[in-house]
Amino acid sequence: KLASGVARVPEMLALDVPSGVCADTGETAEGAVRAHVTVAFHAPKPCHRLAAEQCGTVVTADIGIGAALGEG
């Protein structure tokens, strides 16, 4: 139950890069998603540093690319 006058904002999860954010430059389009958490696939992208306010907490998920390339 919420206190009177308090707006509830749902948590936002982004997968790899928040929608509306350029992965390479961090450029943010009007209306871009502002995530609380972003799950980066394989490795962090430049935007996770350049547009950190849009990405929130960034966690990296190993999706097997390194193994497929013979790394690690």
Side-chain angles (χ1 to χ4, degrees):
K1 198 170 190 180
L2 297 175
S4 178
V6 176
R8 181 179 169 137
V9 177
E11 296 270 328
M12 180 65 66
L13 173 68
L15 301 177
D16 208 30
V17 176
S19 294
V21 177
C22 177
D24 295 325
T25 67
E27 184 177 346
T28 303
E30 184 178 334
V33 167
R34 184 176 290 257
H36 291 92
V37 176
T38 298
V39 179
F41 298 145
H42 178 62
K45 314 301 184 283
C47 68
H48 298 141
R49 179 177 35 83
L50 299 170
E53 68 284 353
Q54 295 298 127
C55 299
T57 301
V58 177
V59 294
T60 303
D62 179 357
I63 59 171
I65 292 175
L69 297 175
E71 299 172 359

